[in-house]
Amino acid sequence: TALVTEITELARDLASPHGPAVHLHLISSAGGLFDGHTHVGAETEPAPQRPYGIGKLAQERLLASAAAATPGLSAHIYR
């Protein structure tokens, strides 16, 4: 998560509403985020139960909030 934080800060510095867009891509973990669930849909809220899943959810939230607050920055999260 520390490395994702560092990369996100760099992307924020590079992003500009009038320049080229910066796109961050994160490969996350459906297994880690939905540990113990047997049926998961688009509306299912992540409920990680182990440190790995908790860390992946923190990374997703960090990228999503940075993209929402920074013009020219977008986050793409793949589970």
Side-chain angles (χ1 to χ4, degrees):
T1 302
L3 182 57
V4 172
T5 300
E6 195 173 319
I7 291 168
T8 302
E9 289 171 0
L10 173 63
R12 280 182 171 174
D13 291 343
L14 295 172
S16 166
H18 306 294
V22 175
H23 303 278
L24 291 176
H25 298 263
L26 175 70
I27 298 173
S28 197
S29 173
L33 296 173
F34 302 102
D35 190 20
H37 285 79
T38 55
H39 293 80
V40 175
E43 299 82 29
T44 307
E45 289 294 320
Q49 300 178 19
R50 300 171 199 243
Y52 175 78
I54 292 166
K56 290 307 258 184
L57 184 57
Q59 292 172 358
E60 287 188 10
R61 289 180 174 164
L62 175 70
L63 261 58
S65 79
T70 309
L73 177 62
S74 65
H76 307 274
I77 300 167
Y78 307 95
R79 293 181 177 160

